[in-house]
Amino acid sequence: MSDFPLIYLSGLDKKSLRLYGIKDGHLNNLMRAIEKLKRSPTKVQDNISDPVKTVLSPNATSPVSAATTGSSYQTSQIPNCDIMLSYCWTNQANVIRISDALKARGFSVWIDVDYMSANVYDTMHQAVSSSTVIVPCLSPGYVGSDNCKRELSYAAELKKRIVPIRLQDGSFEWAQLITAGQLYIQIDLSIISNADFEAKMDDLEKEIRQPSASTSTSSTTPVSTPPPVPATATNPSILLDLKAWLNPEEFEMDNDMEQHFRKQFPGTRDWLYSEILDFANNDNEIVFWSKGVAGVGKSVASAVICKRLKRDGKLGGYFFCKHNNVNRNKPQRIIVTLCYHLAKQFPDFANAVNTLRQSKDEFLEKANVESYFAELIVEPLTKVSPEQRRNVVVVIDALDECGVISSPERKALIKLLADWEQVPKFVKLLVTSRPESDIQSILSGVFKAHEIDLNDETQRKDLLIFSTNRLQLLQHRMGVPMDQVEEYAGQLAKAANGLFIWLALAMEDICHEDSDSLTVLQRYLAEQSDPENNDHQMDGMYTSSLTRATHGKSVAFVNSLTEILSAIVVVRTPVSDDALAKLFGTTLGDVRTTLSSIGSLLNISDKSIQVIHKSFADFLKSPTRCTDPRFLINIPTTNLFLALRCLDSMNTTLHCNIGGYDVKDPGSKPTKDIPEHLAYSSKYWISHLMTSDLTSIPTDIESSLKTFTFTHALHWIEVLSLTDSLPVAQVQLARFLLNIKNERIATLLRDVPRFVNEFRTPIAESAIHVYYSALTMCPEDTALFKEYAGRYKDVMHRVVIGKDSNWSSCLATFEGHKGEVYGVDWWVSEDNEISLIASASWDNTIRLWDAFTGVEIHQFNGHSSSVSCVVFSKDGRFIATGSNDRRIMLWDMET
């Protein structure tokens, strides 16, 4: 018994022990025995009944062991490390940043994301034992975590050096007793600047290397001296400048990746990484395509691959597309994020991009997607010296979730893929997606990519590892011999038909503490799967899960559940449960209680609630797949409902100076954050209205819109400035105006895009300028000025002379041609969603512009002399041009 880790025993609770088949009558006996064992481990075993001895035996299978052939999973040895970071998972993104900073300073760091194991308690025991310094990252979540308490208590028992970090202010109860007398390093990443962060890390490094007298004798293992910074490291100040300029996707995307990574089961995907590592080292291969139908675990595999590539120094960059995040999926967002990642890898690349930033500061606002790719990816990579070049892999996950086939976003991304052949060969591309036709044509047809189908036999071996492990835990509960368990595991893995998500949901049902596990298992094995129709199999799983969750519930409960699910699916970007409750006008408790019944179908974090998988959203939206009308989502109706809730939310929350500026100081900074639900409402109310299939605006919507227009229009612009969303007023509102029949509302709202266009520079610089200077200079004959000027006299200046009485008749100026413009044509789609301008110039080019934003979309090159005329086809697919080179050229807008 003395060889069995006490920290493992102390982690067992009644729910965990039931997995062993131990009856309730024995549980109290066992829990008392564990408490006695921690006090006197050598005097207990003889007084414990047989089922309890089975659990306490060092040879017993642990509830998190993995086996493929019936043998216990053996945890790998953890190497000795300078530092162990002990933290609560809700703070993981911040702790990873701290880990990276410590590693950059030369420390070897243990953090659980790098050393995942099948047995969490054995891993915890090894990690504490093998580390010289324990750094607890204190937060309210840390204090509330039993595992964190075990880790820190165990470290104290072993007399490890403890250097605490405070991630948030507060009283830390039991943790303060253990860390009493220690110097706390305060690192609150929600408010700290980059410069302050580095200073705090310097303080932390100093404390780790120079322990106080009270801790100097607690460890005999010296902390390693950091190696000198390599000559190829990117200048940190340049990285900071590039990060501010590029604004890459970071925390939200990284949190999504972490959620995927946590779903990985030990022992799976090893074969896939081996193939990708061979690909990374092969100078003759450029593109790797990991494909598979919905539910085979592509994104989980991508997250695991990214972690391992990073560990091995092979990760060039990564991007995780998201079906329910319209902003993230824009091609420009992918390019700037990959650009920033590559800048961290290659100093020459970073210097080249920084030169572009310094010479073309407005490049990001004016350039098209092609220029983004050429000047932010291709050209800087050509500047990387031979000494810095090494093979790295860029990972783009879930490419199929970026728009639908033939959508503008999707076409731009497919074009980006086709252009990857311009990238120097030391930067490889790994794409994961469903095998959709447009992606297939590029990756299989053009590139002859290295392809892996995640639905093949190798994938099924991973399913067997998972099913075997989970069913072994239930052997006692099911009352069957081990060989029967392994037979059931094989049958269940086969029934999954390659779908990890189906198997995970089935296992959750089988393992539920209220389930008759054997009966539920046999029910799944009796169901007939269709190897040719994965959707059908998942539809059955989703229908069963929803039916079980609502069994015996009232009609009102089911309706509420469907309404909330509808919102989760339809929102333009994931929101937290708190924001969702505020949008619905209900309490957070009501939302959580309602959703708790379908927890297995959702991914819930402190930042967002999302459906577990895109296939679940697809199921809920399809009347041919979701055959129970109680759960079917009506997309137009849900959009209309959300539009109304957004308008009502703005009408009850918006007010002047919501950012908390000092109104007497036009250069002051905001002191208040915008609530999440208000930021969402301000950004997406128009989008929801535009996709609600309106033929006319309903009375309740028009009433809310009237209040918004004549009371909160300027407050809305302030929020858009504070959330970097001014294009919503410039572009989306301009499109929406075409649907407004109330002329009084339309007249004032027509002034809003002009107002933002005219005064964008001061408003973007400081939102208080909406009232301070922009309204001051707004033409006096406009409906906007007449409605609002009288309310803000205290902050407006008086203009005596030189002020315009109305807007200029020039709506916009498009700049980019290097010679005279000889011809222009304008095309607008039937739904008014797309508006394009084509121009022909003496500089031999034809340029395509977005008429709403003024951004150049594309440049056509081919004429050898000046181009004198240009015209769109009626459907907007083709452009015909005439030139002084005596040629007429026809251009395909699709390609």
Side-chain angles (χ1 to χ4, degrees):
M1 284 299 298
S2 60
D3 292 332
F4 200 90
L6 297 185
I7 196 166
Y8 172 76
L9 294 176
S10 69
L12 298 174
D13 57 18
K14 289 186 178 182
K15 183 176 179 181
S16 302
L17 293 168
R18 286 193 182 100
L19 293 177
Y20 286 102
I22 297 174
K23 304 303 181 185
D24 286 344
H26 294 298
L27 287 176
N28 290 334
N29 182 19
L30 177 58
M31 299 308 292
R32 286 195 299 271
I34 289 174
E35 290 303 315
K36 290 181 181 179
L37 182 62
K38 286 189 284 186
R39 295 192 296 270
S40 181
T42 61
K43 299 179 181 179
V44 181
Q45 187 171 7
D46 292 338
N47 298 321
I48 304 176
S49 58
D50 288 340
V52 177
K53 287 181 181 179
T54 302
V55 179
L56 295 181
S57 167
N59 297 319
T61 305
S62 84
V64 282
S65 66
T68 59
T69 59
S71 61
S72 296
Y73 179 89
Q74 300 297 317
T75 53
S76 58
Q77 282 298 117
I78 293 174
N80 291 334
C81 290
D82 295 329
I83 299 166
M84 175 195 177
L85 290 173
S86 172
Y87 69 99
C88 173
W89 273 54
T90 56
N91 303 118
Q92 187 177 71
N94 291 337
V95 176
I96 288 175
R97 184 180 175 191
I98 292 169
S99 172
D100 289 344
L102 288 170
K103 290 175 182 177
R105 285 165 165 76
F107 294 110
S108 57
V109 180
W110 188 94
I111 182 171
D112 56 359
V113 295
D114 293 333
Y115 299 100
M116 297 301 291
S117 166
N119 189 320
V120 65
Y121 300 111
D122 283 350
T123 303
M124 190 188 300
H125 165 73
Q126 289 189 48
V128 175
S129 302
S130 304
S131 300
T132 302
V133 178
I134 310 301
V135 177
C137 303
L138 303 182
S139 67
Y142 189 95
V143 174
S145 167
D146 289 337
N147 280 349
C148 293
K149 186 173 184 179
R150 293 185 191 105
E151 281 181 350
L152 198 54
S153 299
Y154 190 50
E157 286 179 19
L158 296 182
K159 299 187 184 303
K160 291 286 182 178
R161 287 176 50 204
I162 298 175
V163 179
I165 291 174
R166 287 178 181 260
L167 296 179
Q168 295 169 256
D169 288 324
S171 173
F172 297 114
E173 304 167 358
W174 59 264
Q176 287 182 317
L177 296 176
I178 297 175
T179 60
Q182 305 296 322
L183 174 66
Y184 286 85
I185 309 296
Q186 187 83 26
I187 307 180
D188 187 343
L189 292 177
S190 65
I191 59 175
I192 197 170
S193 67
N194 286 316
D196 288 341
F197 173 72
E198 292 301 323
K200 293 290 186 182
M201 292 308 301
D202 290 341
D203 292 342
L204 179 60
E205 178 180 1
K206 182 178 179 180
E207 183 65 17
I208 291 171
R209 295 191 184 282
Q210 298 179 6
S212 64
S214 62
T215 61
S216 61
T217 60
S218 63
S219 175
T220 58
T221 307
V223 175
S224 60
T225 301
V229 177
T232 57
T234 301
N235 186 320
S237 64
I238 290 179
L239 278 180
L240 288 175
D241 289 340
L242 291 181
K243 183 176 180 179
W245 186 54
L246 295 168
N247 188 27
E249 295 288 335
E250 283 198 290
F251 295 115
E252 185 179 314
M253 186 177 74
D254 289 346
N255 284 336
D256 286 343
M257 185 172 73
E258 289 301 332
Q259 284 193 354
H260 291 312
F261 181 75
R262 292 173 201 170
K263 296 175 184 176
Q264 187 239 355
F265 193 78
T268 61
R269 306 301 190 197
D270 293 343
W271 60 274
L272 178 60
Y273 183 65
S274 179
E275 286 217 29
I276 290 172
L277 199 57
D278 289 341
F279 158 76
N281 294 324
N282 188 334
D283 293 335
N284 296 318
E285 291 187 311
I286 303 173
V287 178
F288 189 108
W289 184 23
S290 176
K291 62 182 179 180
V293 297
V296 298
K298 298 184 294 295
S299 292
V300 173
S302 292
V304 173
I305 295 306
C306 284
K307 293 280 188 180
R308 295 188 181 182
L309 286 171
K310 183 178 181 180
R311 177 195 66 192
D312 295 340
K314 297 283 187 181
L315 183 64
Y318 57 91
F319 195 93
F320 282 64
C321 300
K322 193 73 175 177
H323 67 95
N324 58 348
N325 193 325
V326 293
N327 289 322
R328 186 194 301 180
N329 288 345
K330 293 177 180 178
Q332 292 92 333
R333 301 300 304 146
I334 297 177
I335 294 171
V336 297
T337 302
L338 295 181
C339 175
Y340 178 67
H341 290 170
L342 289 167
K344 292 196 287 186
Q345 300 299 318
F346 303 106
D348 289 344
F349 179 98
N351 293 336
V353 177
N354 195 43
T355 299
L356 174 69
R357 177 188 68 84
Q358 293 170 333
S359 61
K360 299 181 180 180
D361 188 50
E362 296 183 352
F363 172 82
L364 297 179
E365 295 182 10
K366 296 185 176 181
N368 57 33
V369 174
E370 289 176 329
S371 296
Y372 264 60
F373 187 65
E375 299 194 49
L376 292 176
I377 301 291
V378 179
E379 292 179 16
L381 282 173
T382 63
K383 304 291 178 60
V384 177
S385 63
E387 293 77 18
Q388 291 183 15
R389 293 192 178 197
R390 68 183 194 282
N391 285 8
V392 296
V393 178
V394 166
V395 179
I396 300 179
D397 177 68
L399 184 68
D400 56 289
E401 295 189 15
C402 182
V404 297
I405 296 178
S406 297
S407 68
E409 295 85 1
R410 184 66 163 265
K411 289 177 183 178
L413 270 182
I414 295 301
K415 179 68 167 58
L416 186 155
L417 280 183
D419 289 343
W420 198 266
E421 62 183 358
Q422 302 173 23
V423 173
K425 290 187 177 181
F426 67 92
V427 179
K428 310 328 191 128
L429 176 65
L430 188 158
V431 174
T432 70
S433 75
R434 300 185 193 187
E436 295 186 345
S437 58
D438 55 343
I439 299 173
Q440 177 100 26
S441 66
I442 293 294
L443 297 184
S444 294
V446 175
F447 279 109
K448 308 297 182 187
H450 186 129
E451 296 183 20
I452 287 291
D453 190 337
L454 288 183
N455 204 27
D456 65 9
E457 286 302 315
T458 312
Q459 162 89 342
R460 294 169 196 265
K461 293 178 182 177
D462 286 346
L463 293 167
L464 181 60
I465 292 173
F466 179 68
S467 61
T468 300
N469 172 266
R470 291 303 172 90
L471 290 183
Q472 281 182 342
L473 306 181
L474 302 175
Q475 180 194 359
H476 291 291
R477 190 200 291 187
M478 294 190 298
V480 298
M482 185 59 74
D483 58 350
Q484 182 65 63
V485 169
E486 292 176 0
E487 183 178 341
Y488 281 148
Q491 293 173 2
L492 194 63
K494 183 177 180 180
N497 197 26
L499 302 178
F500 248 112
I501 189 173
W502 183 91
L503 186 59
L505 289 171
M507 279 299 183
E508 183 142 346
D509 191 15
I510 294 166
C511 293
H512 194 280
E513 60 182 8
D514 296 329
S515 291
D516 179 343
S517 296
L518 184 59
T519 300
V520 176
L521 169 62
Q522 290 172 339
R523 187 190 76 219
Y524 279 111
L525 294 179
E527 295 175 355
Q528 297 296 314
S529 62
D530 182 358
E532 302 301 320
N533 191 341
N534 298 104
D535 286 346
H536 178 73
Q537 185 166 358
M538 288 309 306
D539 294 349
M541 174 61 74
Y542 293 139
T543 299
S544 297
S545 298
L546 288 169
T547 301
R548 285 195 303 273
T550 55
H551 179 70
K553 302 291 187 181
S554 66
V555 173
F557 177 88
V558 176
N559 290 340
S560 177
L561 175 64
T562 302
E563 283 183 355
I564 296 175
L565 255 183
S566 299
I568 293 171
V569 169
V570 173
V571 289
R572 297 301 187 259
T573 187
V575 297
S576 67
D577 51 4
D578 182 61
L580 199 61
K582 288 183 170 65
L583 280 174
F584 268 76
T586 187
T587 66
L588 179 59
D590 284 345
V591 169
R592 289 180 173 174
T593 300
T594 303
L595 294 180
S596 64
S597 61
I598 57 166
S600 63
L601 297 175
L602 301 171
N603 284 329
I604 302 178
S605 71
D606 58 342
K607 299 291 185 182
S608 67
I609 302 179
Q610 304 177 58
V611 292
I612 189 174
H613 195 267
K614 182 177 182 292
S615 61
F616 184 37
D618 294 340
F619 162 78
L620 292 169
K621 293 185 289 186
S622 171
T624 59
R625 295 178 59 184
C626 181
T627 54
D628 188 332
R630 296 180 302 163
F631 307 123
L632 181 64
I633 293 176
N634 184 307
I635 299 298
T637 300
T638 302
N639 272 306
L640 191 60
F641 169 78
L642 286 173
L644 179 59
R645 294 306 308 147
C646 286
L647 280 167
D648 289 347
S649 176
M650 290 190 294
N651 286 339
T652 56
T653 312
L654 286 171
H655 59 82
C656 178
N657 194 20
I658 197 170
Y661 289 89
D662 179 354
V663 294
K664 297 180 181 179
D665 178 9
S668 65
K669 301 296 182 183
T671 60
K672 297 179 182 178
D673 293 329
I674 302 302
E676 181 187 2
H677 73 287
L678 180 59
Y680 181 90
S681 298
S682 298
K683 194 168 184 178
Y684 295 113
W685 69 273
I686 298 174
S687 175
H688 285 303
L689 267 180
M690 295 281 284
T691 51
S692 59
D693 291 351
L694 283 179
T695 53
S696 61
I697 297 178
T699 303
D700 52 353
I701 292 284
E702 183 167 319
S703 175
S704 293
L705 184 60
K706 182 178 179 181
T707 300
F708 167 81
T709 301
F710 296 106
T711 306
H712 299 296
L714 293 184
H715 308 153
W716 177 56
I717 297 172
E718 182 187 351
V719 170
L720 293 180
S721 172
L722 287 165
T723 57
D724 296 323
S725 304
L726 285 174
V728 174
Q730 294 175 281
V731 181
Q732 291 190 25
L733 183 59
R735 295 173 180 173
F736 175 61
L737 285 170
L738 300 172
N739 298 300
I740 299 177
K741 307 302 181 186
N742 185 309
E743 188 56 33
R744 185 164 174 257
I745 294 175
T747 298
L748 193 146
L749 289 183
R750 271 195 290 267
D751 285 338
V752 172
R754 299 299 305 271
F755 182 84
V756 175
N757 286 337
E758 188 76 17
F759 306 112
R760 173 166 181 156
T761 298
I763 292 173
E765 182 69 25
S766 178
I768 196 64
H769 278 283
V770 169
Y771 320 97
Y772 191 87
S773 59
L775 186 58
T776 296
M777 297 303 298
C778 182
E780 294 183 355
D781 289 346
T782 63
L784 184 69
F785 184 87
K786 291 177 180 178
E787 185 68 36
Y788 285 97
R791 306 177 197 176
Y792 303 108
K793 291 180 179 179
D794 292 343
V795 295
M796 292 172 58
H797 291 281
R798 184 179 174 217
V799 180
V800 178
I801 192 171
K803 184 176 177 181
D804 293 331
S805 60
N806 219 318
W807 301 116
S808 165
S809 56
C810 178
L811 297 177
T813 302
F814 301 79
E815 297 180 350
H817 280 296
K818 298 177 182 178
E820 292 89 340
V821 177
Y822 291 148
V824 172
D825 197 20
W826 193 350
W827 178 82
V828 181
S829 63
E830 291 184 3
D831 59 5
N832 295 312
E833 280 292 302
I834 303 173
S835 183
L836 303 174
I837 291 175
S839 57
S841 171
W842 178 85
D843 63 11
N844 302 356
T845 69
I846 306 99
R847 304 198 183 211
L848 191 66
W849 313 81
D850 184 323
F852 288 116
T853 64
V855 172
E856 181 185 324
I857 299 172
H858 187 74
Q859 178 176 311
F860 298 93
N861 297 292
H863 284 293
S864 58
S865 185
S866 57
V867 186
S868 56
C869 59
V870 59
V871 63
F872 280 101
S873 63
K874 185 177 181 180
D875 61 4
R877 179 174 177 180
F878 301 100
I879 291 177
T881 57
S883 168
N884 288 338
D885 63 10
R886 302 181 183 180
R887 292 185 298 170
I888 297 171
M889 302 186 78
L890 188 64
W891 309 86
D892 188 344
M893 298 282 285
E894 296 283 330
T895 59

